[in-house]
Structure formats: structure tokens, C-alpha cells
Amino acid sequence: MSFAMPSNRPRRFSLVAAPSPTDRQSRKLLGRLSLPERRFVADALRTETVGGVLLLAAAVAALIWANTPPLAASYQAVQDFHIGPGSLGLDLSLQHWAADGLLAIFFFVAGIELKRELVAGDLRDSKAAALPVIAAVCGMAVPALVYVLVNVLGNGAMDGWAVPTATDIAFALAVLAVLGTSLPSALRAFLLTLAVVDDLFAIMIIAVFFTNEIDFLALGGALVGLALFWFLLRRGVRGWYVYVPLALVIWGLMYNSGVHATIAGVAMGLMLRCTRREGEEHSPGEHIEHLVRPISAGLAVPLFALMSAGVSLSDEAIAQVFTRPEPLGVVLGLVVGKAVGIFGGTYLAARFTKAELNEDLAWPDVLAVASLAGIGFTVSLLIGELAFAGDPALTDEIKAAVLIGSLIAAVIAGIMLKLRNRTYKALTDAEERDEDLDGIPDIYEEHNPEYHLRMARIYEDRAAEHRRKAEAAAAAALQSAAGSTTEGDRPA
């Protein structure tokens, strides 16, 4: 792990696409990404997809473990097993270590993603940021309103209003991997940016609404630790052996302060520099994210799922999900609220900005992605635990509602995406085609004269090769015909 001093020099990419097609497309809704942005999105989502498959496997394992009668008691015992130094206020159950400790790694990566989006990604431009921000805000507000409406009508508890507001990008990508569907880069980037903005508001919700009593001494110590973290970064101090112990101290102080410990991870992620200096292939933030994301996606989040997703799915428990207002509000919030909120927000943003939808896509594509965002697994489970911490039975029902709602959203989105899979595959193949083998997809070089000259030479060489093959084939045919004539002239 290494860090470097900040710089005011401009960011430089190793490969830069020709500006014309990107500029022209950027005026469109869900238009083509720039080449560096497309590559970053592809790399980030590749890791998240693998992590999502592991997350799915962990969730299934937890459900089997918790719902198999001979094993159910052992699952509860493992969840409740305590470990950690009690003198430091950290004698926690394994379930708490997963929610407060492992998810701090997840939110650390989320902090880096958010910082990068703000300084080097789509969110750095207010006009470009408007669409995903409006869509994400609507995609959180409408599910919360759906939950509130259901619980007002059903006389339920309002504590869970935030549960259906989250989107789990890793789980959504796992669904795409299982379906074998490849989304065009514009839709993938839209989904990723939605999830980043979603994470930002989820962090704010956790910090504001789920902080009860504050230990100001511990909080002050955490803030001093964060200030030291920031100072060391700015001084260019390098070495994981400096930052990892400091991060653990900050996390421990934040946990004991009463503020949810995952906030410490977000704060440290936001402090990393995510712009590139002259001569740098990757910024420190991108480098650290590249190192930590596999740990987050492949270890931290699946272990959290293993510790949190094991809820009873008996007939009675499932019936409670659809009869009690609190879990029903979560299901409808994820399935209906997310789709309506994101699609409606996107449509209104396009309507009032007069942006045209990319001609390669259609509004049903936006609806499919909006439905896919209804998969609210990791953060929804975390908020569910925080919202109903004093009622274990209702907590389990809320968790079951998150699982069922996410499953329904995944099935609906999967059907819609499968109907357009042929179109997506054609668009993806076009984005990846590189006939001149220069490392840049051909679609990004349409306005580059040198590209067309290279392609002309390639086609001329191919034409010459085919002419040689045609002449050789014709000569072989004549020789064969001559041989047959000679055989026919011989006497019997």
C-alpha cells in the first residue's frame, strides 16, 4: 500500500479516445462513455461480479444452514459467539463483527468510489451528474414513501422506512452473471453510478438516523485519528504498516463513540487522492481500491451475508412477510418503489433537460435496470438490523422481506433483460471490436483519419490475399481439369 503527495497538474490517461464521438454522445441520455471511463467501469464491475457470485453463494449457504433443523441451533450459536478485547469495548459477537467490522471495508471502498466519481468520474460535471443523482434520489425516496404508505395503512412501525432504499451492486451483477446477460457500458455505468450515489445517501442515513448516544471523548479521538490519517497522506508517508494500525484505532474509537463504525471506513476512503499526477498510471485511490476491492467483494461482504442472511423461511415466516405491514412495506418498496422511483426520476430528468435517449437503447432498458436496482441486499440487511435492533423476531421478518423482495426484483429484471439480450450482445460486441489491433475499440476512432487509413490498408492486404487465393484456386482447378482430359484420351 503506497500513497503519494497531491498535485495540481492535470490528470493524464495512458490511452485517450478521439474526442468527437464521445462529445457527441455525451449530450445524449445514457450515451457512450469515454474510453478511460469505460475501462475503469469494466475493471470495477468485473471484481464486483465475482464478489456477487460469492455473495449469492454465502446467502444460500446461510439460508440452508439456518433452515436445516439439525444445524439451525449451531448457526445461532456461531452468530452469538463473542470474541474481542472487552477492556476496549470490543467484546462483540461474530454477527456484530461482520456488520460493524467487515462492512467498514465495504464502505471504505464505497468512499473511494464516491471520491473518484466526484473528482474524476461522471459526478465531477454537474450536468452529467444530474441524471444519476436525480435517479438515485428518486430511487431512494419512492421506496421509503411506499414503506411509509403501507405502514400508515396497516398501522405498522415506521422504523424500517430506510430498509428498501438501498441497492446492492454486487448482487445485481451476480444476477447478470447467472443470466449470462452482458449490459452495454452505458447501462453498466448508470447502474454503478446509481449504486455509488445510493451508498452515499445510505451512509448519511446510518450516520444521522441510527446514532443514539454519543461518547464525545471517543468521537474526538476518532476525529484526531482521521486528521492524522489525512496529514500522513498529504505528507506522502508510505507503508501499509502505518495506515492499517491507524485505521484499526480509528475504527475502534468510532465504534465506541456510538456513531456506526462503518462511517470511519467511508471517511478514510474519501481522503485518498483519486486524481492522477503526470507520469502516474493509477492514482493512489485507484491503486488502493484495486488492492482492497477483492477483499471487500470476495471476503468481507460474503461473510457478512453468511452471518446475517440466515433467517427462517418456514411457511409461517413467509406468510408474515406478506401479512405484516413492516416486511410487506420492504418487499413493495424494493420491487415497486425502486423501479418506479429510478425510472420516473430518469424520465423526468430527460424530459426537463430535453436530453435524447441514446438511439441504441429504449426506455424499457431503463426500466429493466431500475428493476435490477431493487436488489437491496447488503446495506438493506444492515439497516434492517439497526432499525429493529430491539425486536429480534421482527428483525428476522425484515431480513426475510429483503431476501424475498430482492428475489422478486431479480426475476422481473431478469425477464426484461433476457428479452433484450440479443440487442445488448450486439452493442457489447460493437464496443469491443478492435479490427486494427491498436488496443482502442474501433467505435472510439470513427473520427480519426489515421484509423480509416489503417483499416484501408488492412482491407487492401486482405483483398490482395483473397486475390492470390482465388488465382491459386483457379490454377488448381485448371490443372485438375487438364488431368481429367488426359485420362479420358488414353486408349482402353
Side-chain angles (χ1 to χ4, degrees):
M1 182 181 294
S2 60
F3 302 88
M5 290 287 288
S7 171
N8 293 325
R9 283 177 286 185
R11 184 183 184 200
R12 189 185 75 175
F13 295 108
S14 56
L15 287 170
V16 181
S20 299
T22 302
D23 292 345
R24 175 170 50 83
Q25 288 279 341
S26 64
R27 292 194 294 269
K28 291 185 177 295
L29 178 64
L30 299 179
R32 186 184 310 152
L33 302 178
S34 67
L35 182 58
E37 186 71 10
R38 179 181 179 275
R39 285 177 170 161
F40 174 83
V41 169
D43 290 341
L45 295 187
R46 191 176 298 114
T47 303
E48 290 289 356
T49 300
V50 175
V53 173
L54 294 175
L55 175 62
L56 182 60
V60 172
L63 289 171
I64 293 173
W65 191 358
N67 287 277
T68 302
L71 303 176
S74 66
Y75 181 78
Q76 187 66 43
V78 170
Q79 279 185 314
D80 295 338
F81 182 78
H82 278 64
I83 188 173
S87 59
L88 299 178
L90 297 175
D91 182 19
L92 308 177
S93 68
L94 290 182
Q95 186 176 13
H96 274 106
W97 275 113
D100 294 273
L102 292 177
L103 281 194
I105 302 174
F106 167 80
F107 279 106
F108 174 70
V109 174
I112 299 175
E113 287 178 338
L114 177 61
K115 177 68 173 289
R116 185 197 168 277
E117 287 291 326
L118 289 171
V119 301
D122 288 342
L123 299 183
R124 73 187 186 280
D125 179 6
S126 59
K127 292 182 179 179
L131 172 64
V133 169
I134 292 172
V137 170
C138 293
M140 299 187 79
V142 176
L145 290 174
V146 169
Y147 178 92
V148 169
L149 179 62
V150 171
N151 282 269
V152 166
L153 296 176
N155 196 28
M158 295 297 175
D159 298 348
W161 64 270
V163 176
T165 61
T167 293
D168 193 314
I169 183 68
F171 217 123
L173 293 171
V175 171
L176 293 178
V178 171
L179 292 174
T181 300
S182 179
L183 290 181
S185 61
L187 288 177
R188 285 181 287 161
F190 181 57
L191 183 61
L192 178 61
T193 308
L194 274 177
V196 170
V197 178
D198 198 289
D199 287 341
L200 169 63
F201 285 102
I203 292 161
M204 295 171 62
I205 288 171
I206 291 171
V208 174
F209 294 98
F210 298 104
T211 298
N212 296 321
E213 298 180 1
I214 297 180
D215 183 331
F216 288 99
L217 182 61
L219 180 60
L223 295 176
V224 170
L226 288 171
L228 178 58
F229 190 90
W230 179 86
F231 177 76
L232 293 175
L233 288 176
R234 293 304 175 269
R235 296 294 296 176
V237 176
R238 299 171 180 266
W240 64 268
Y241 46 84
V242 174
Y243 292 97
V244 172
L246 178 58
L248 292 174
V249 171
I250 294 170
W251 175 86
L253 289 169
M254 190 69 76
Y255 177 83
N256 282 287
S257 73
V259 178
H260 200 271
T262 54
I263 303 301
V266 176
M268 287 183 280
L270 287 170
M271 290 181 182
L272 295 179
R273 175 169 62 83
C274 293
T275 53
R276 302 180 188 181
R277 292 177 174 178
E278 188 71 24
E280 285 185 341
E281 185 177 355
H282 303 288
S283 68
E286 291 172 324
H287 176 65
I288 299 304
E289 183 183 6
H290 178 73
L291 294 176
V292 179
R293 185 186 287 276
I295 299 174
S296 170
L299 180 66
V301 176
L303 283 177
F304 168 75
L306 186 64
M307 288 292 100
S308 296
V311 296
S312 173
L313 291 181
S314 63
D315 294 341
E316 181 181 354
I318 294 175
Q320 290 278 26
V321 169
F322 294 100
T323 55
R324 289 195 63 172
E326 295 90 350
L328 180 60
V330 170
V331 172
L332 293 178
L334 289 172
V335 176
V336 179
K338 273 289 182 182
V340 171
I342 293 175
F343 181 83
T346 305
Y347 182 81
L348 290 175
R351 180 78 174 176
F352 286 105
T353 60
K354 297 182 179 179
E356 296 179 6
L357 185 66
N358 183 356
E359 60 270 12
D360 293 329
L361 300 173
W363 282 108
D365 299 320
V366 180
L367 181 60
V369 173
S371 298
L372 192 65
I375 300 173
F377 190 78
T378 305
V379 179
S380 290
L381 289 177
L382 174 62
I383 295 177
E385 290 181 357
L386 297 173
F388 298 101
D391 190 341
L394 185 53
T395 299
D396 283 348
E397 291 174 10
I398 292 295
K399 289 182 179 181
V402 170
L403 296 175
I404 292 171
S406 297
L407 177 61
I408 295 172
V411 170
I412 293 173
I415 292 172
M416 288 191 287
L417 292 170
K418 268 299 184 182
L419 293 175
R420 294 274 289 169
N421 192 48
R422 183 175 298 178
T423 300
Y424 296 153
K425 189 176 187 309
L427 291 174
T428 303
D429 290 344
E431 290 177 354
E432 296 175 352
R433 187 177 298 113
D434 182 20
E435 290 192 77
D436 59 345
L437 302 177
D438 66 343
I440 301 176
D442 296 339
I443 200 169
Y444 287 93
E445 299 188 284
E446 293 172 344
H447 292 260
N448 185 352
E450 294 181 1
Y451 160 75
H452 292 289
L453 292 175
R454 285 197 304 272
M455 290 305 300
R457 287 193 294 270
I458 289 172
Y459 284 123
E460 287 168 0
D461 291 342
R462 289 179 182 175
E465 178 65 21
H466 282 293
R467 279 192 292 269
R468 286 193 296 270
K469 289 182 178 180
E471 292 170 358
L478 287 173
Q479 185 175 0
S480 176
S484 299
T485 302
T486 303
E487 289 290 333
D489 292 341
R490 288 181 182 177

